[in-house]
Amino acid sequence: MNSQPFNDVHIHVEDDRTGTTVETLKRALADNLYYIQGKDENFATLYDYYMALAYTVRDRLVHRRIKTAQTYFNRDVKVVYYLSAEFLIGRLLINNLINLGLYDQINQALKESGLNLDDLLEREEEPGLGNGGLGRLAACFMDSLATLEIPAVGYGIRYEFGIFDQEIRDGWQVEHPDNWLRRGNPWEIARPDYMVEVKFGGHTESYTDAEGRYRSRWVSRVTVYGTPYDTPVPGYGCNTVNTLRLWAARASEDFDFQVFNAGDYTQAVSAKTFAENISKVLYPKDDTPQGKELRLQQQYFFVSCSLQDIIRLYLRQHDTFDAFPDKVAIQLNDTHPAIGVAELMRLLIDEYGLEWDKAWDITRRTFAYTNHTLLAEALERWPVGLFGRLLPRHLEIIYSINHSFLTEIQSRYPGDAGKLTRMSLIEEGEEKQIRMAHLACVGSHTVNGVAALHTELIQKELMRDFYELWPHKFQNKTNGITPRRWLLMSNPPLSDLITEKIGDGWLKNLDELRKLEAFVDDAAFRARWRQIKLDRKKLLAEYLLRHNGLDVDVNSMFDVQIKRIHEYKRQILNALHVITLYNRIKANPSLDIVPRTIIFGGKAAPGYFMAKMAIKLINSVADVVNNDPDVAGRIKVAFLANYSVSLGQFAYPAADLSEQISTAGKEASGTGNMKFALNGALTIGTLDGANVEIREEVGAENFFLFGLTAQEVMDLKARGYKPMEYYNSNPELKRVIDQLASGFFSPKEPSLFMCIVDDLLNYDQYMLMADYQSYVDCQEQVSQAFRHQDNWTRMSILNVARMGKFSSDRTIAQYCREIWKVEPVHIELEHYSQERAGLKVQKVVSEVV
Ligand SMILES: *Cc1c(COP(=O)(O)O)cnc(C)c1O
């Protein structure tokens, strides 16, 4: 690296401060290094240069953000508020450069300054503010909302610690805290002036107000403050910059002083701890809530902050709440923010004096709810006792909502006690529980599933009674992914080839990928396509050598399963297949087998025993297979540690085969399946989630299907599933299970995997045993297909060409039309210099806090 970057900047008056010429950008980089980082070229580290670059990009975002906010305000537009406990946004620098159209100029400006963009991109900490698919979906949606020029705000929590960092030690997962903010975050802007108060605990008191109406007053015990931090979200190829507003919890100084002066120092400190713990750490459990009090505190905290903020914004332009549902659409991303239904009721009634019926009408016309899971254990329920201690007023409101709702059910279905029990917001039992999915459904105008099969199962199984009562409420919105991050950014060579052939219209209209079908018979095109895949496999191979010490064959099939580790996702079924291949080679060492590199990756929730055992199993199988001379490198197994958005962007494009092998009826949609296919991997999968629709789009002949259907899974369960029968009747499967039981893969601790064996033979809730043979047979078809590289490449091209449906732009356009009823708002931009020669203060906005 040149030791003297920025040294040829022309010093002249440059008033186009957010301009995008190379000269202006070089000047800005030098200024930001000097004035913000407080360094010059003699002292700056790479991180300083990264920060200087990030601030340079942020200035351009801020300029567009202010213009966007002004336009929304002036036109009093309807705004989408997307409430999500997780936003797994990935690194921002590259995204912002590309969406702003600054990439080439910045690249040049850095080069002329003696810096390398790739080095700086690597300095950025990834904000891991989510567990997996649900949080990543929220991030793709934010990108698509901005790209489609839709007025939108994302609301969530600014966790101080995101999803843990994963290390693999001795084959086991070890977790490390993710202190992502330790070096500062250049992308966010704190807004202490929009701080809000959130109350917890205490009790309620009833009273009669001046007009003689019965009312309830919440006398809370603790007040916590929420400070918003705004991250700009630019659309691709437009001037729109929306906001992701994340809340950080703080104790109030005042509050501490009050208690402190009263002489109770320890209570003052513990109140401070209570407050500041709230946004401390992301819960690392995916798809299985733990019912922990802190989790409910987090949910209520960010929902209350967000609703107060939404109301503040609305009341800037309105005197009554009559138009609220016409200006505000609130989407609940799963039930994590479902407490919002009760909180909006509380705010409207207790704080703004509305009548119950009016408030209820507004609430139901404002909220919509997205269901994300069919797993019974993943449906959020809160014990009434815990809930009432923390949110006594909300418990009252939920009881009132439930009372009216059950009265309606009773008159609709007289004498049907089963209906009342099944549909109540309160689950009876030893400990009464609040069913958050029911609250979300009753309080929303629309409920949606995230893939066609998922929505069908919601209607037929999960929420059958609700669907029967309100069929018009239920919709499907099949998930999607943003093609900017998941193709343009993650796979530049493939993007370039596509653009060379069909133009760049696909970036805003992914259906245009269809035009690639015209090139499928072009041998030169296929050769380039294949070369790009090979280059990406080489990069991943280098990574595996560096990080795993594993030397893999880049011509082998890269067979990849990266996603959270969960029993329903069946990583263990994949491992059983690996063992089967291994046994076949051992039985016949000269077997002509298609070489494979089987790559796993994913985090297990720290308290999820079986998921952690799956990681250990994979690594134990890898130890045996990778080191057996009989295998002679024909199959190799690798576990990619610390799977993240960045690692995904690196790995999806290197895959030949995408493993989407969940038990049918369990994966709501999946989005990893889409990322693989968009990067030219072929899928082996069950008829589950969006796999069904991917197969419909790409054609059955370009998809490797196996396994029971969701209906067959239910039927088999109903008949009485006996996994042992598969063991007894299938010698190859029996051998694999016996090896696990005998300690073949864990010689130092022979009984290590007995827990897996015991589960598979006696329970096997996710039916690995039932699907084993179908999976192994299908994998053999995959291997045979891979022998014909030219035809494989054709299938790969056709997969990409037919992925248009799975753009999150399509998903968001459907939400806008069919649920939110919002329209795009075009943002015009003038240059900063023309607008801001100097301050022209007209009125000073009063401070909110
Ligand atoms: C896309 C993505 C997921 C979701 O993957 P699935 O295969 O759909 O479960 C999870 N984590 C990260 C980091 C992702 O990018």
Side-chain angles (χ1 to χ4, degrees):
M1 194 183 71
N2 188 324
S3 61
Q4 293 231 304
F6 311 145
N7 59 0
D8 59 343
V9 171
H10 304 286
I11 305 298
H12 62 265
V13 178
E14 169 62 270
D15 65 352
D16 190 9
R17 293 209 35 218
T18 56
T20 56
T21 64
V22 172
E23 281 308 303
T24 307
L25 291 168
K26 280 164 66 179
R27 168 84 184 265
L29 284 164
D31 276 356
N32 287 333
L33 182 69
Y34 200 85
Y35 291 114
I36 298 195
Q37 289 307 101
K39 295 265 186 97
D40 67 8
E41 296 87 324
N42 297 305
F43 295 97
T45 64
L46 260 193
Y47 196 74
D48 290 321
Y49 289 119
Y50 159 71
M51 293 292 267
L53 173 56
Y55 283 114
T56 301
V57 176
R58 194 182 90 171
D59 287 344
R60 274 112 197 116
L61 289 166
V62 163
H63 177 44
R64 287 161 177 78
R65 170 63 207 156
I66 287 173
K67 199 72 202 176
T68 302
Q70 255 167 22
T71 309
Y72 293 167
F73 180 83
N74 292 341
R75 301 209 203 146
D76 189 21
V77 298
K78 185 170 189 180
V79 180
V80 176
Y81 298 99
Y82 197 82
L83 268 57
S84 178
E86 304 185 6
F87 285 92
L88 193 49
I89 54 184
R91 284 176 171 162
L92 294 177
L93 176 53
I94 181 71
N95 179 260
N96 293 344
L97 285 175
I98 285 180
N99 281 19
L100 286 177
L102 277 181
Y103 185 88
D104 291 335
Q105 298 93 303
I106 283 287
N107 211 2
Q108 186 62 26
L110 289 171
K111 216 176 270 169
E112 290 179 17
S113 306
L115 288 163
N116 176 291
L117 177 56
D118 288 337
D119 293 340
L120 301 190
L121 292 172
E122 281 303 308
R123 306 315 299 171
E124 181 175 354
E125 290 275 352
E126 177 176 321
L129 308 186
N131 272 288
L134 173 144
R136 184 52 234 175
L137 182 77
C140 283
F141 281 5
M142 291 305 295
D143 182 81
S144 285
L145 281 161
T147 299
L148 295 179
E149 305 184 298
I150 302 296
V153 179
Y155 279 116
I157 300 173
R158 181 178 176 272
Y159 299 106
E160 210 174 309
F161 292 87
I163 187 68
F164 62 85
D165 287 329
Q166 179 194 54
E167 184 198 351
I168 302 298
R169 205 186 290 164
D170 273 340
W172 296 99
Q173 168 174 297
V174 178
E175 301 98 22
H176 301 283
D178 163 43
N179 191 2
W180 71 290
L181 289 167
R182 91 194 140 232
R183 295 211 272 182
N185 173 6
W187 301 108
E188 65 185 10
I189 300 180
R191 301 276 182 215
D193 45 338
Y194 297 143
M195 195 162 85
V196 298
E197 289 185 17
V198 180
K199 299 186 284 184
F200 288 96
H203 62 275
T204 61
E205 293 171 357
S206 54
Y207 68 102
T208 314
D209 70 9
E211 280 116 81
R213 295 175 300 188
Y214 171 88
R215 292 208 168 267
S216 190
R217 178 190 299 126
W218 180 11
V219 183
S220 62
R221 209 175 66 79
V222 191
T223 299
V224 172
Y225 288 83
T227 305
Y229 285 74
D230 290 351
T231 301
V233 182
Y236 175 77
C238 61
N239 295 317
T240 299
V241 175
N242 286 331
T243 299
L244 174 60
R245 178 162 280 184
L246 303 179
W247 298 95
R250 299 257 177 283
S252 96
E253 305 295 329
D254 286 354
F255 179 83
D256 290 344
F257 268 111
Q258 275 169 31
V259 186
F260 185 70
N261 291 339
D264 195 341
Y265 175 73
T266 43
Q267 200 197 319
V269 173
S270 76
K272 195 169 166 65
T273 308
F274 171 87
E276 293 180 351
N277 270 341
I278 289 179
S279 57
K280 186 66 75 183
V281 59
L282 168 79
Y283 271 92
K285 272 212 152 182
D286 195 41
D287 270 334
T288 14
Q290 288 160 104
K292 289 274 170 61
E293 187 162 358
L294 178 59
R295 173 83 172 176
L296 181 58
Q297 289 164 10
Q298 291 186 335
Q299 295 181 352
Y300 177 64
F301 166 73
F302 98 88
V303 167
S304 179
C305 289
S306 307
L307 289 176
Q308 291 182 62
D309 201 49
I310 292 167
I311 290 174
R312 175 183 63 80
L313 291 165
Y314 172 82
L315 289 178
R316 291 191 309 183
Q317 282 156 300
H318 300 268
D319 301 326
T320 75
F321 283 93
D322 294 350
F324 196 77
D326 303 321
K327 298 294 174 185
V328 172
I330 303 178
Q331 192 66 30
L332 303 172
N333 194 26
D334 210 324
T335 54
H336 315 145
I339 183 65
V341 170
E343 173 67 354
L344 183 58
M345 287 296 285
R346 184 190 72 83
L347 289 165
L348 293 177
I349 294 169
D350 294 0
E351 307 286 334
Y352 294 96
L354 269 65
E355 299 287 347
W356 177 278
D357 289 346
K358 177 85 187 166
W360 186 233
D361 176 65
I362 290 170
T363 298
R364 294 177 101 176
R365 289 198 290 133
T366 300
F367 284 105
Y369 157 58
T370 304
N371 174 279
H372 280 274
T373 185
L374 295 161
L375 303 176
E377 71 272 23
L379 290 172
E380 279 194 307
R381 292 174 173 85
W382 292 106
V384 164
L386 180 159
F387 194 97
R389 274 196 305 282
L390 202 65
L391 303 169
R393 178 64 181 128
H394 297 79
L395 185 58
E396 262 178 21
I397 290 171
I398 289 170
Y399 273 128
S400 295
I401 294 172
N402 199 37
H403 179 78
S404 324
F405 172 60
L406 292 182
T407 306
E408 187 185 332
I409 298 304
Q410 210 151 21
S411 69
R412 181 80 171 256
Y413 307 99
D416 193 341
K419 281 262 185 213
L420 292 176
T421 315
R422 290 196 304 272
M423 296 180 80
S424 174
L425 306 194
I426 310 293
E427 187 168 282
E428 299 294 331
E430 219 167 283
E431 193 180 28
K432 286 194 200 176
Q433 312 225 63
I434 305 174
R435 295 161 162 163
M436 299 308 277
H438 292 200
L439 175 64
C441 176
V442 171
S444 295
H445 55 84
T446 304
V447 176
N448 77 282
V450 292
L453 174 66
H454 173 230
T455 301
E456 188 189 317
L457 292 171
I458 289 175
Q459 294 172 350
K460 283 197 193 148
E461 309 286 333
L462 192 76
M463 308 193 86
R464 186 171 54 209
D465 295 308
F466 289 91
Y467 178 59
E468 193 186 307
L469 178 66
W470 297 314
H472 56 275
K473 243 194 210 199
F474 289 78
Q475 294 190 19
N476 176 245
K477 295 286 166 282
T478 299
N479 283 169
I481 56 172
T482 166
R484 274 75 63 183
R485 185 172 291 268
W486 295 113
L487 184 48
L488 180 64
M489 284 167 51
S490 66
N491 202 342
L494 190 62
S495 299
D496 288 347
L497 176 61
I498 292 170
T499 296
E500 180 190 316
K501 291 296 175 188
I502 66 169
D504 65 0
W506 60 274
L507 281 161
K508 283 210 168 210
N509 176 11
L510 201 62
D511 289 324
E512 290 193 17
L513 290 178
R514 283 268 173 195
K515 296 179 190 163
L516 288 173
E517 286 193 32
F519 300 93
V520 75
D521 291 322
D522 175 342
F525 179 75
R526 288 199 304 274
R528 288 175 69 190
W529 190 275
R530 190 149 57 240
Q531 184 62 43
I532 287 167
K533 180 63 79 181
L534 184 62
D535 290 343
R536 287 307 296 251
K537 290 168 72 176
K538 285 179 181 166
L539 289 179
L540 184 55
E542 282 168 23
Y543 184 96
L544 287 172
L545 187 58
R546 215 168 40 244
H547 290 84
N548 294 39
L550 193 66
D551 193 3
V552 306
D553 172 7
V554 293
N555 291 310
S556 66
M557 182 201 306
F558 277 26
D559 171 351
V560 185
Q561 187 174 23
I562 46 177
K563 50 178 75 241
R564 284 300 288 249
I565 312 288
H566 202 294
E567 287 165 284
Y568 84 81
K569 292 176 183 281
R570 301 201 293 192
Q571 279 88 1
I572 288 177
L573 179 60
N574 189 344
L576 298 183
H577 172 247
V578 175
I579 299 171
T580 304
L581 290 183
Y582 173 74
N583 288 340
R584 287 179 183 177
I585 293 174
K586 291 300 279 183
N588 176 8
S590 62
L591 189 68
D592 179 19
I593 197 168
V594 172
R596 289 197 192 219
T597 302
I598 300 106
I599 298 165
F600 293 85
K603 293 174 182 175
Y608 190 170
F609 174 77
M610 276 309 238
K612 290 189 139 177
M613 287 309 299
I615 292 176
K616 177 63 177 170
L617 174 65
I618 291 161
N619 286 303
S620 302
V621 171
D623 274 347
V624 170
V625 169
N626 296 346
N627 297 309
D628 189 324
D630 285 353
V631 174
R634 283 172 291 176
I635 55 175
K636 287 215 167 138
V637 182
F639 192 94
L640 270 177
N642 207 29
Y643 174 51
S644 61
V645 173
S646 304
L647 197 53
Q649 287 173 224
F650 183 65
Y652 289 116
D656 293 305
L657 185 66
S658 158
E659 297 270 354
Q660 306 301 333
I661 61 177
S662 54
T663 315
K666 300 296 178 193
E667 186 77 85
S669 164
T671 48
N673 46 7
M674 301 168 189
K675 299 169 198 167
F676 277 110
L678 187 60
N679 283 277
L682 304 191
T683 306
I684 181 166
T686 49
L687 280 179
D688 200 16
N691 294 354
V692 177
E693 291 156 81
I694 291 174
R695 180 167 171 269
E696 263 168 32
E697 292 293 306
V698 305
E701 67 285 8
N702 300 306
F703 186 106
F704 297 98
L705 178 70
F706 77 96
L708 299 172
T709 63
Q711 189 60 52
E712 287 166 347
V713 166
M714 285 186 286
D715 292 347
L716 184 49
K717 279 244 161 86
R719 283 203 307 275
Y721 174 53
K722 299 195 189 64
M724 191 76 82
E725 288 175 359
Y726 298 87
Y727 170 84
N728 286 324
S729 63
N730 186 334
E732 208 171 20
L733 173 59
K734 179 170 186 303
R735 179 163 164 69
V736 172
I737 300 290
D738 289 346
Q739 284 169 314
L740 293 182
S742 70
F744 183 86
F745 294 102
S746 54
K748 285 192 213 136
E749 203 180 329
S751 63
L752 184 63
F753 297 122
M754 269 316 290
C755 51
I756 294 177
V757 170
D758 179 58
D759 181 72
L760 287 178
L761 293 181
N762 301 304
Y763 308 96
D764 193 22
Q765 195 193 158
Y766 297 104
M767 299 195 166
L768 283 70
M769 303 293 281
D771 274 346
Y772 169 83
Q773 194 58 49
S774 170
Y775 180 55
V776 169
D777 291 344
C778 189
Q779 287 284 21
E780 182 52 28
Q781 289 171 30
V782 173
S783 287
Q784 293 315 323
F786 196 72
R787 288 182 191 274
H788 307 285
Q789 276 294 300
D790 213 40
N791 195 51
W792 184 278
T793 303
R794 280 172 197 271
M795 291 198 284
S796 167
I797 295 166
L798 290 177
N799 263 260
V800 175
R802 297 171 180 177
M803 282 300 289
K805 174 174 176 184
F806 303 100
S807 168
S808 48
D809 296 345
R810 184 272 310 153
T811 313
I812 285 297
Q814 290 179 332
Y815 275 92
C816 289
R817 260 198 320 274
E818 297 160 17
I819 299 181
W820 302 328
K821 322 285 186 202
V822 290
E823 301 282 341
V825 175
H826 184 67
I827 308 298
E828 298 286 350
L829 197 69
E830 298 108 74
H831 282 289
Y832 178 88
S833 58
Q834 285 158 264
E835 293 173 33
R836 302 194 57 82
L839 288 175
K840 294 185 292 282
V841 176
Q842 272 139 26
K843 75 166 193 199
V844 177
V845 176
S846 61
E847 283 167 43
V848 173
V849 177

